[in-house]
Structures are given as C-alpha cells and as structure tokens.
Amino acid sequence: MLQYFTHCSINVTMVRKSVMARPSSLFLIFFLHLVLVSSSTTSTETRSEHSRNHVALFIFGDSFFDAGNNNYINTTTLDQANFWPYGETYFKFPTGRFSDGRLISDFIAEYAKLPLISPFLQPGYNQYYHGVNFASAGAGALVETFKGAVIDLKTQLKYHKKVQTWLRSKLGKVEAEITLSKAVYLFSVGTNDYMSIFVTNSTVLNSYSKSEYVGIVIGNLTTIVKDIYKRGGRKFGFINLLPFGCAPGIRIIKAENNGSCLEEASSLVKLHNKALSRLLRKLEKQLKGFKYSLYNFDINLRRRMNHPSKYGFKEGKGACCGSGQFRGVFSCGGKRLGKEFQLCENPNEYVFWDSYHLTQRVYEQLADQMWNGARKPNSVWPYNLRDLFQAF
C-alpha cells in the first residue's frame, strides 16, 4: 500500500527584540519539560491502547499467506513472486504475494480492523503491535522441505520469539503477555511437505508409509503450536490442505492421467486433514484455554473447482497465468520455467491464478467464510475467526 504524506510548513514570524517578547530561560526550560513529559505519556498511552484495544495477528506458513518475506532471502524465482503480473489486480505492482492481489490473511486483517500485516523481513519494519507475517512461500512443517530456499516453520517460530522480546521491551511484561494471549495465530502449512514429493526427485515414501510421513509432519506442527501456547498464545486459526493433487501444476505431471487429479497426492491430503482435525480436538482437551478455528480449505476449494459458475467463475481447473495444458507449467511472469507464458484478460473469472495458487477473488470468498462461517459446537469447527478475535 502506498502512503501519501502531507507536509505542513510552519511560517515563523520574526519579532522585534524586546524584554516583553522574550520568555525567560526558566520558562523555556519548564515549557520544554512539559512537552517532553506530554510526548512520553502520549507514547506510553498509545502503546497501552495497542495492547488493550487491538487483537494482534501473527501469521505463519507458506505461499498462501506469504506477504513478501521471500523477497528478502537468498532463493530462486520458484519461491518468489516479486515480478509482474503478480499483484496486478489490487496493488498494481508485485508485492511478493502469490496472487493477482490480496491473500486470505490480508482479508482477515481487514475484517479484524487491522492494517495490512507486514512481512517480518521487510527492511525498516519493526512495529509489531498489530502483529507480523512470518510466512514463507515453499515452507513446510519439516525443516527438510525445500531446505535452504525458504524460511521453514521452525525458523518462523524463532522470529516470533524475537517479536515477543520486542513487545516486552516496548510494553512491559504484563502488557506484552496480554497482547500475546489475546492475539490470533494463523497457520497455513503442510502443502509443501507433500507437494515436494511430486515436484522433486524425493524418495521419502520409500522410507516411510504415507501414514508415517503424515505423522511426522503433524508431529512437527504440534511442537510449534505447543511452543506458542507455552509462551502465552491461546487462539489459533488453521486452514487444512487444499486439494493440491488437482492444481494445474500437478495435473500435468503424469501425461497418462490425461489431466485428471493426481490420486497419490489426493490421498495424502485426506490423511493429513483427518490427522490435523484429530490433533486440534486433542489439544483443546489437553491445553487449558486453547481455542481454535479450522477452516475446510479442501472442500470449499473443490466446490469452486468443480462448479465454478455457481460461485461466479468461468474456469475452475485451468490457471489464469502460465503455459501449457491447464497453464500448469509454472512460468507465470516468464522468470521461472521458461520465458513464454499466457495471461488471461480477467483474473476474476478464474479460480487459479497460476499453476498452484489462487486468485484474489477466491481468497476473498474463502476469507469471508472463515470469518463469518457458521459455528458447529462439538465439531471440527467450534469457532469461526471472528469468534477468535472477540474471545478473551
């Protein structure tokens, strides 16, 4: 977002030198003291208001939430989106978001009456009263997932600990604890732990069964969530895995499938989503005060892919930007797998923006469901996100 500042000029009128026109030195010192005390008090009050009147949003995960952290790390364009046509719809320039515009996390911030939550690695940004975004495109729950090219979840947690220290230094221990306990911790993670199996030469499933591998991924996520809980976090929002076996970039992996969804990937999604649901119900029972919202990304995206016109779209399977069948070749922007790519005229007509990611219009629809969705007590969705932001 571009901000425009209005500069005010102050005209200083010269006055004649006279005893009557000059305040005494004692008066000047007293006046300056009042100004400094007032400024300090206002600053303290402002910081307190941040912690008492706002619920901070801390964002973890992958490219579905990355607002630009990967712009500032040493990686390849496979894990970056800081070039045209990314961002063309809303921002009118590339921000690092893997979409034509805003992401789910951006809309959630808006609904919570928060500003856009900035990337943690954004140079010069160190105002964390409203929260911060740690997400990194390509990241997984496992450190090994695309290792060296992304900010894995464990490192994102380390960054969050730095923010905790900053909040204590600015707000004091008590106010910082209030901020951290009222905050919402939003997660999108796991997709890359499984997708990496199909887009690299991974042999991990030669060593583990599918259930065992899912258990490892869920185990790592559990460790992160429990660590945040131990440090004061109580309110957690999750999206489960999308049906990435049906993403344009995965549909084209096996030519013999004739463009159908990759069943091996779909089976992992089902296993993971069931395990995630079980985990969260278990944590709710184990951890006092633990509250969560789990959004069914899988089902709700499938509905739009299979019945696009019902949700206002024209195309549910092919991407707006890319090349090849379904525009599944990850070439959007011409800086990845080839310089040639096609770009649709109207992203609002498409579910998929590029080979793996969604359009702003889809993200807005899903975010609205996450925020306003009907609560289901004693189910996998006991709270929507609005409930979490309002809960104490």
Side-chain angles (χ1 to χ4, degrees):
M1 293 289 289
L2 294 175
Q3 297 179 342
Y4 297 90
F5 298 89
T6 301
H7 296 273
C8 298
S9 60
I10 301 175
N11 293 320
V12 181
T13 303
M14 298 300 293
V15 298
R16 293 178 182 176
K17 293 183 179 180
S18 69
V19 175
M20 293 296 292
R22 288 201 306 267
S24 68
S25 298
L26 182 61
F27 176 78
L28 280 173
I29 293 172
F30 177 68
F31 176 75
L32 289 172
H33 175 72
L34 285 177
V35 171
L36 289 171
V37 170
S38 174
S39 175
S40 176
T41 303
T42 301
S43 179
T44 302
E45 289 175 350
T46 300
R47 292 195 296 266
S48 295
E49 287 172 2
H50 277 297
S51 59
R52 290 173 181 165
N53 299 332
H54 299 282
V55 176
L57 177 59
F58 295 106
I59 302 165
F60 298 81
D62 50 34
S63 56
F64 293 111
F65 286 173
D66 185 355
N69 278 306
N70 280 16
N71 295 351
Y72 310 110
I73 65 174
N74 183 21
T75 187
T76 71
T77 54
L78 290 173
D79 293 307
Q80 290 179 321
N82 53 354
F83 45 86
W84 183 85
Y86 288 90
E88 67 165 18
T89 299
Y90 179 77
F91 299 99
K92 307 304 180 185
F93 63 92
T95 63
R97 290 167 171 81
F98 280 77
S99 183
D100 60 305
R102 289 167 290 179
L103 309 176
I104 286 175
S105 47
D106 296 319
F107 288 108
I108 297 303
E110 178 184 325
Y111 302 156
K113 294 181 170 53
L114 295 171
L116 282 176
I117 305 300
S118 296
F120 177 75
L121 294 182
Q122 180 176 304
Y125 180 77
N126 63 349
Q127 297 295 315
Y128 307 122
Y129 299 111
H130 292 296
V132 68
N133 189 323
F134 305 104
S136 169
L142 306 181
V143 173
E144 295 79 11
T145 298
F146 298 126
K147 187 174 183 179
V150 302
I151 308 164
D152 61 82
L153 196 58
K154 186 176 180 181
T155 301
Q156 292 180 34
L157 179 63
K158 289 180 181 178
Y159 290 162
H160 181 255
K161 291 175 181 177
K162 291 183 179 181
V163 171
Q164 288 179 305
T165 300
W166 183 91
L167 286 170
R168 290 190 184 98
S169 71
K170 296 295 183 181
L171 299 174
K173 183 178 179 181
V174 173
E175 291 288 351
E177 287 178 353
I178 292 172
T179 297
L180 293 168
S181 66
K182 287 174 58 179
V184 171
Y185 300 82
L186 190 61
F187 283 82
S188 166
V189 70
T191 298
N192 292 302
D193 296 306
Y194 305 108
M195 187 180 292
S196 60
I197 296 172
F198 303 101
V199 299
T200 67
N201 295 320
S202 174
T203 58
V204 66
L205 292 184
N206 293 337
S207 303
Y208 301 100
S209 69
K210 289 181 179 179
S211 294
E212 288 173 335
Y213 186 67
V214 169
I216 295 171
V217 173
I218 292 292
N220 276 34
L221 176 59
T222 304
T223 299
I224 299 296
V225 171
K226 284 187 172 181
D227 195 304
I228 293 173
Y229 176 87
K230 182 180 178 181
R231 294 172 177 275
R234 291 296 181 269
K235 301 185 291 184
F236 296 81
F238 298 87
I239 61 174
N240 65 11
L241 300 192
L242 81 162
F244 75 85
C246 301
I250 300 298
R251 285 180 183 271
I252 65 172
I253 285 180
K254 291 187 176 181
E256 61 270 24
N257 283 359
N258 296 316
S260 61
C261 299
L262 188 64
E263 183 53 39
E264 298 98 311
S266 298
S267 63
L268 284 168
V269 169
K270 291 177 183 177
L271 286 171
H272 176 95
N273 288 347
K274 288 181 180 178
L276 177 60
S277 180
R278 288 194 301 268
L279 166 66
L280 296 176
R281 289 198 299 269
K282 181 179 178 182
L283 292 178
E284 186 179 37
K285 293 177 181 178
Q286 287 182 345
L287 306 177
K288 183 179 179 181
F290 179 89
K291 295 180 176 67
Y292 75 91
S293 174
L294 174 58
Y295 178 68
N296 201 325
F297 196 12
D298 180 23
I299 286 179
N300 287 294
L301 183 56
R302 281 183 187 275
R303 288 171 177 166
R304 286 160 175 78
M305 291 166 57
N306 296 331
H307 308 285
S309 60
K310 184 177 178 180
Y311 298 92
F313 302 98
K314 291 185 176 180
E315 176 58 52
K317 297 179 180 179
C320 169
C321 186
S323 55
Q325 187 182 20
F326 299 109
R327 292 181 182 162
V329 177
F330 195 37
S331 58
C332 184
K335 293 190 176 184
R336 298 192 188 104
L337 306 179
K339 295 182 179 180
E340 300 294 327
F341 68 98
Q342 290 81 47
L343 179 64
C344 70
E345 290 186 8
N346 186 2
N348 288 331
E349 296 177 348
Y350 285 72
V351 171
F352 282 92
W353 162 247
D354 66 16
S355 309
Y356 303 102
H357 306 96
L358 311 176
T359 59
Q360 173 181 266
R361 191 177 182 203
V362 175
Y363 286 136
E364 183 173 14
Q365 290 184 4
L366 302 183
D368 182 73
Q369 285 186 320
M370 290 173 68
W371 184 260
N372 295 306
R375 282 84 82 191
K376 299 178 181 178
N378 302 317
S379 75
V380 297
W381 194 3
Y383 297 97
N384 60 33
L385 278 181
R386 180 169 56 184
D387 292 332
L388 285 190
F389 274 90
Q390 294 175 348
F392 291 96

